[in-house]
DNA sequence: GTTCGGAACGTTAACGGTTCAGTAGCCTCG
DNA sequence: CGAGGCTACTGAACCGTTAACGTTCCGAAC
């Protein structure tokens, strides 16, 4: 038993002396045949060990796979550690569950450019999350004649897009810091390109970052601080390829070692900020008295630390993408009627990790 | 553009005046045709907007879908909150990523018995995790003529099985408590059946639990404590349908309200134990001085609380299941050569939440 | 000059269903 | 009594590939 498929619709039909159509109907349209015959069909099926219509053959005919693909260019395993990615996944799963379709995690390891996986995925659509703009996987997805929704990416013609306005969101956070009086800041950011790099980042690299989100957030910061007279080229920005608390801590250390005078550490993610907090603690710096630290995303761990951050509805991103993909009214064939660009609300959350910088006097003599 | 599939292998072949096979070979076996022709094929493909061989048609022909299904009878969204489930998912994803195959989350909401999703999933195999023994989804999976690996379930004939020896693991924890001197314990456990129930559990219900894992852990406790003369029918066991820290807390409250004399709260999961810790704190009980609390699983959150628990390699469970499923040497057709039953190691971890019970004297006068 | 062998490409037959346009038989109704 | 409609079922086309062989061609070897 449990060997190579033995029975098919045809063999069942032959055994019963009815047409394939009738057998098919027994499974898919019970109202199209007499209950008695249907019962016989199903019984014979059980007897012959026929497991019901083959899903792949059915998909070929109906042009429906019953699943959507999720592409994120990270080791899949990583996705399960980053709370933000997890939120997206959860939201997407939620939307898909409602519609009764599966979510297929498409393997797209950043190392080997295994484009093939994208070509081989039998899915009705793709959600693309957080991949670099120049990622070949993304290109491969766009090639496929199925609807696609991209999250946190720059808008592509004819493709739905979901995400917050990263630039505006970061601008509001920048304003908060500026209002507090910070002028001497440092920045911790995530990976800016596909190649592994860590350390200080030139302005050019910031502007050429292939991750839209990082680019937007850095640009917003630069713009806001330049507007109050800060020379952005003097602002230290440290990049980390990996996105973990430990990397955040090491980035903070690298930055503070070289620029001990900064009064605020702006991080482009909560994870990095949590790492920065750790490093501050190691240095016995009081947060926020000695050092302001801010994050981005609004993940639960950050919440617990009462981090000043920008909350974005991560779960909603995924859910929204799923809904967009699955809404049957929105599509004719596989083309979106009108490609939608949905901008999600963000919220500046002021926690206990931001405060005015100490004045020079305070620095020397304490508060 | 991006409309209904316009070009196929056949139309491309016609356009080029070659056979379909040749076009197919251009994609799948470059060595089977001259580089020059191949170049022409690919170029024409681009011109005609042919996105390459259709994955579903290919799957039908090759009988390979390039994905494995993961069935867990929980709202998918829940799976992303339970660290243990997440670990399994991560491990599975890891193994699949290595092999370049996708992981499809099969929607199987516990409410509506949407068996169909199982039938419709175009996958090369299934991993079944933590579903009740009598779940119709499980039955549907076993019907499918594809290899299956089950995790944390009782052994099914001809199907691979991965999991720890829950009974032995819980027995070792029980021994630890017995050695410490606990005889008056209470138990917090997870869902025991598919129907929603919360509250105290009769012995019969414990033994008839349709979740293998819970059944095994409870049985191990009963056995161990009866061996030292405890009448198990007097031991309060509280069940919670939902598996959250809050539910753990409320379960602990319910139990302690009715049985304030217990010296230890044994929980069948770390999550429940974390809830119990919370409730203990609310009652201003010292843990472990006033009350011993133990968990099960060894999740990071529990680690942080220095919980006494049983560590099990959750990630390894998923990875192992994936490897088993994907190992080409292990199967002829779709039947496993020899169905494997892999028992994973567990480790008793004694943290700071377990200690000897206070003597009666200590209870009245303090330590 | 025939044979041989490999490169390059073609033919045919699945793979396992779904769907749509019938058709036969029976009932109803004016 | 014939038109019309409904029920229950059938036949054939089609979905887009790939697998397993065939065929052709051409230069080298015997």
């Amino acid at each position: 038993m449990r060997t190579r498929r033995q029975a098919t619709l045809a063999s069942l039909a032959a055994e019963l002396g009815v047409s394939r159509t009738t057998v098919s109907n027994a499974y898919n349209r019970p109202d199209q045949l007499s209950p008695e015959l249907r019962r016989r069909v199903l019984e014979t099926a059980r007897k012959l060990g026929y497991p019901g219509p083959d899903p792949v053959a059915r998909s070929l005919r109906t042009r429906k796979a019953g699943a959507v693909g999720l592409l994120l260019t990270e080791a899949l395993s990583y996705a399960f550690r980053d709370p933000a990615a997890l939120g997206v996944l959860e939201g997407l799963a939620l939307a898909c569950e409602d519609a009764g379709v599966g979510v297929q995690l498409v393997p797209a390891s950043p190392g080997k450019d295994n484009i093939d996986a994208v070509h081989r995925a039998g899915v009705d659509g793709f959600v693309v999350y957080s991949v670099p703009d120049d990622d070949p996987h993304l290109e491969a997805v766009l090639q496929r004649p199925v609807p696609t929704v991209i999250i946190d990416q720059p808008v592509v013609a004819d493709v739905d897009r979901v995400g917050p306005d990263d630039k505006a969101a970061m601008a509001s956070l920048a304003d908060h810091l500026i209002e507090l009086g910070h002028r001497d800041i440092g920045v911790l950011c995530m990976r800016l390109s596909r190649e592994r790099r860590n350390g200080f980042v030139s302005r050019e690299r910031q502007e050429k970052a292939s991750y839209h989100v990082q680019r937007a957030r850095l640009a917003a910061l630069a713009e806001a601080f330049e507007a109050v007279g800060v020379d952005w080229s003097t602002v230290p920005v440290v990049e980390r390829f990996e996105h973990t608390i430990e990397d955040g801590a090491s980035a903070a250390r690298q930055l503070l070692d070289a620029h001990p005078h900064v009064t605020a550490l702006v991080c482009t993610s909560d994870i990095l900020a949590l790492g920065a907090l750790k490093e501050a603690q190691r240095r016995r710096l009081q947060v926020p008295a000695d050092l302001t630290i801010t994050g981005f995303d609004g993940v639960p761990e950050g919440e617990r630390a009462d981090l000043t951050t920008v909350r974005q509805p991560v779960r909603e991103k995924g859910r929204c993408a799923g809904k967009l993909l699955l809404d049957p009214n929105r599509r004719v064939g596989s083309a979106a009627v009108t490609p939608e660009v949905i901008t999600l609300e963000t919220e500046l959350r002021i926690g206990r990790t931001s405060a005015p910088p100490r004045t020079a006097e305070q620095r020397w003599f304490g508060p």
Side-chain angles (χ1 to χ4, degrees), chain A:
Chain A
M1 78 161 264
R2 292 185 71 63
T3 168
R4 182 168 172 63
R5 176 177 211 87
Q6 58 291 69
T8 72
L9 212 53
S11 66
L12 234 192
E15 172 85 15
L16 282 158
V18 300
S19 75
R20 283 167 27 236
T21 304
T22 300
V23 179
S24 174
N25 283 337
Y27 285 95
N28 302 315
R29 312 186 186 185
D31 56 312
Q32 293 292 305
L33 72 173
S34 61
E36 158 60 12
L37 178 54
R38 182 170 135 90
R39 199 190 50 68
R40 262 182 58 217
V41 172
L42 265 31
E43 189 187 318
T44 312
R46 198 166 41 251
K47 206 173 60 196
L48 262 57
Y50 175 66
D54 180 277
V56 176
R58 167 184 279 164
S59 288
L60 174 59
R61 183 65 238 239
T62 60
R63 312 263 69 197
K64 280 267 153 281
V68 307
L70 174 61
L71 179 76
L72 67 183
T73 312
E74 276 298 346
L76 282 185
S77 59
Y78 162 82
F80 300 119
R81 300 177 186 245
D82 183 20
L86 213 48
V88 171
L89 183 51
E90 184 184 335
L92 178 62
L94 220 61
C96 289
E97 194 171 38
D98 280 349
V101 315
V103 177
Q104 177 162 340
L105 276 30
V106 178
S109 339
K112 38 185 174 174
D113 281 345
N114 188 16
I115 300 287
D116 255 21
V118 172
H119 288 133
R120 293 197 124 85
V123 295
D124 299 325
F126 279 98
V127 173
V128 178
Y129 171 63
S130 173
V131 307
D133 305 350
D134 55 353
D135 192 299
H137 297 273
L138 172 57
E139 202 182 333
V141 165
L142 295 176
Q143 226 79 355
R144 291 272 309 256
V146 294
T148 300
V149 178
I150 55 183
I151 302 182
D152 286 0
Q153 306 276 140
V155 175
V156 176
D158 278 333
V159 174
D160 295 320
R161 195 261 184 190
V162 174
D165 183 342
D166 281 286
K167 208 164 170 190
M170 188 53 110
S172 74
L173 179 60
D175 286 347
H176 165 63
L177 294 174
I178 288 168
E179 234 167 76
L180 287 176
H182 293 279
R183 292 297 181 277
D184 205 353
I185 70 166
V187 181
L188 268 40
C189 70
M190 289 164 60
R191 184 188 304 180
L192 296 182
S193 74
R194 301 174 62 208
E195 75 224 54
R196 183 172 222 94
R197 268 186 59 176
N198 287 305
F200 288 97
V201 189
S202 73
R203 176 135 199 199
E204 190 194 350
R205 184 169 171 77
Q206 293 172 37
E207 283 163 0
K208 291 211 169 139
S210 43
Y211 286 85
H212 169 80
V213 167
Q214 298 299 309
R215 205 172 51 233
R217 295 182 190 170
L218 289 172
L221 282 174
E223 209 167 286
F225 278 92
E226 289 199 317
V228 294
V230 173
D231 177 4
W232 189 254
S233 55
T234 68
V235 174
V237 177
V238 171
E239 167 184 4
R240 278 294 178 275
F241 187 82
E242 298 291 350
H243 185 223
T244 65
I245 293 185
E246 286 67 39
D247 283 283
S250 87
R253 179 181 302 196
Q254 183 174 15
L255 197 149
L256 292 173
D257 280 350
H259 302 265
H261 53 85
V262 300
T263 62
L265 236 37
V266 184
C267 309
T268 62
S269 84
D270 284 354
I271 296 289
L272 293 177
L274 289 171
L277 277 174
K278 217 168 180 177
E279 173 64 13
Q281 192 179 358
R282 202 189 63 88
R283 291 178 176 246
R284 310 220 180 287
L285 288 173
Q286 297 291 330
V287 174
D290 300 325
L291 184 67
T292 282
I293 292 177
T294 67
F296 202 109
D297 283 344
V299 306
E301 289 85 337
E303 204 96 339
R304 250 173 262 149
D306 206 1
L307 196 63
T308 292
T309 189
V310 174
R311 268 198 198 130
Q312 62 167 323
V314 281
R315 206 169 332 149
E316 195 54 26
K317 283 201 286 193
R319 229 172 62 86
C320 188
K323 285 230 180 287
L324 236 41
L325 210 52
L326 296 169
D327 183 351
N329 302 325
R330 293 207 50 257
R331 311 192 174 275
V332 189
S334 74
V337 210
T338 306
E340 193 115 27
V341 175
I342 294 189
T343 304
L344 265 34
E345 291 300 312
T346 57
E347 176 200 349
L348 177 62
R349 184 195 128 88
I350 299 174
R352 265 180 292 178
T353 62
S354 59
R358 299 197 180 213
T359 61
E361 251 169 294
Q362 284 174 329
R363 280 205 218 169
W364 297 118
F365 306 109

